[in-house]
Amino acid sequence: MSVADNRGPRALDDKTVAELREIADRYPEKRSGLLPMLHLAQSVEGKVTPQAIETCAEILEISPAEVSGVATFYTMYKRHAVGDFHVGVCTNTLCAVMGGDEIFARLKDHLDVGNDEVAEKRQGDQHSVSLEHVECNAACDYAPVVMVNWEFMDNQTPDSAVQMVEALRTGKDVSSTRGPRLCTWREAERVLAGFPDGRVDEGPTAGPASLVGLEIARDRGWTAPDAPSAPAVGASDSKDAAVADADTARAESESVDESSDADESGAEKEEAK
């Protein structure tokens, strides 16, 4: 059965299949495209469906089990629906100490949901919201941090977090702290698949806390050392070289082991005399 006739009641449409193939063709080894392909599937379906797993497997010529293993390993891939705006509250050490636990508890109570659940859409709401605690948002200098569809909302409080989700639910524009206006989950997933939305230069990309080291370096005239230039090699040459290096290293290791065994054997014979 062809990809376009993918099994199941909700086969991916031809446009999506063509874009999945486009992603796979970006890479010398097409299976390297699996991560953005899964993001594209989420941008269409809202989650990673069994049909999307089979389609990706067929395009990449790998097993559905391999695709499923990746889709279930990374928490950014969802096997169930999330809201139009997926809110992730960091509850790792620093954010927790700075108030992340309180933010998460307040949002759970306000939205009447548990972890990784979608809040009920009320009458008059324009968008749905889901909530998840995450182990680290990689923004400790702005703790406590919340992410919405993977965009940063820095230095949050329980009150500011509630105000934010209410603005999102009612359809108001909300801008991330270090990035563009927030877009929906599916729109964000398409960007992560490698299809830009034209917002890359919208909003600041860094804040003062992240730039302290850079400012110190500029004040003191520090610069990074020049990297040594490496000869350009093609993908096939690079793989051949890597195989050759591995064979050489293995041969050297075996030679050392054999030499060591010979030395030990000689020493044992001397002791026997």
Side-chain angles (χ1 to χ4, degrees), residues 103 106-107 156-165:
I103 292 172
R106 178 76 172 278
L107 287 178
Q156 292 295 294
T157 67
D159 287 343
S160 69
V162 168
Q163 292 170 8
M164 175 189 67
V165 297

Side-chain angles (χ1 to χ4, degrees), residues 24-264:
D25 290 340
R26 296 173 186 169
Y27 300 88
E29 294 290 340
K30 61 183 181 180
R31 67 180 297 156
S32 299
L34 177 55
L35 299 184
M37 289 170 71
L38 290 173
H39 282 299
L40 181 66
Q42 288 196 141
S43 77
V44 175
E45 301 291 326
K47 60 184 179 180
V48 177
T49 63
Q51 290 75 27
I53 287 175
E54 291 189 10
T55 302
C56 290
E58 183 175 342
I59 291 173
L60 298 178
E61 299 179 337
I62 59 179
S63 70
E66 290 177 277
V67 178
S68 182
V70 172
T72 55
F73 180 82
Y74 294 104
T75 58
M76 290 178 77
Y77 302 120
K78 303 297 181 183
R79 303 304 298 276
H80 57 82
V82 299
D84 296 323
F85 293 96
H86 187 60
V87 179
V89 181
C90 183
T91 56
N92 212 328
T93 307
L94 183 57
C95 278
V97 169
M98 298 294 288
D101 286 339
E102 287 81 1
I103 292 172
F104 186 58
R106 178 76 172 278
L107 287 178
K108 284 198 299 181
D109 181 66
H110 178 75
L111 296 171
D112 193 23
V113 294
N115 179 54
D116 211 14
E117 293 181 355
V118 183
E120 183 178 351
K121 198 172 180 180
R122 306 164 305 186
Q123 184 176 1
D125 281 351
Q126 298 297 308
H127 299 290
S128 59
V129 171
S130 51
L131 178 68
E132 178 183 17
H133 85 82
V134 294
E135 287 302 317
C136 184
N137 273 331
C140 301
D141 42 352
Y142 295 101
V145 174
V146 174
M147 293 191 88
V148 181
N149 295 345
W150 319 125
E151 294 287 356
F152 288 112
M153 306 299 294
D154 301 328
N155 301 315
Q156 292 295 294
T157 67
D159 287 343
S160 69
V162 168
Q163 292 170 8
M164 175 189 67
V165 297
E166 282 304 303
L168 293 171
R169 295 172 96 178
T170 56
K172 296 178 181 177
D173 281 342
V174 177
S175 293
S176 58
T177 310
R178 287 173 285 134
R181 285 171 293 115
L182 298 178
C183 61
T184 66
W185 164 263
R186 295 192 184 209
E187 290 170 336
E189 286 298 301
R190 183 168 177 81
V191 174
L192 290 174
F195 298 92
D197 61 358
R199 298 184 182 182
V200 65
D201 295 320
E202 182 181 308
T205 56
S210 301
L211 300 175
V212 169
L214 178 62
E215 294 301 326
I216 292 174
R218 286 175 175 170
D219 290 342
R220 301 187 181 183
W222 295 344
T223 58
D226 294 331
S229 58
V233 294
S236 58
D237 294 339
S238 179
K239 285 191 288 186
D240 293 342
V243 172
D245 289 343
D247 290 341
T248 300
R250 184 165 55 249
E252 291 175 348
S253 175
E254 291 171 353
S255 297
V256 170
D257 291 342
E258 291 173 359
S259 175
S260 176
D261 291 342
D263 290 343
E264 291 177 1

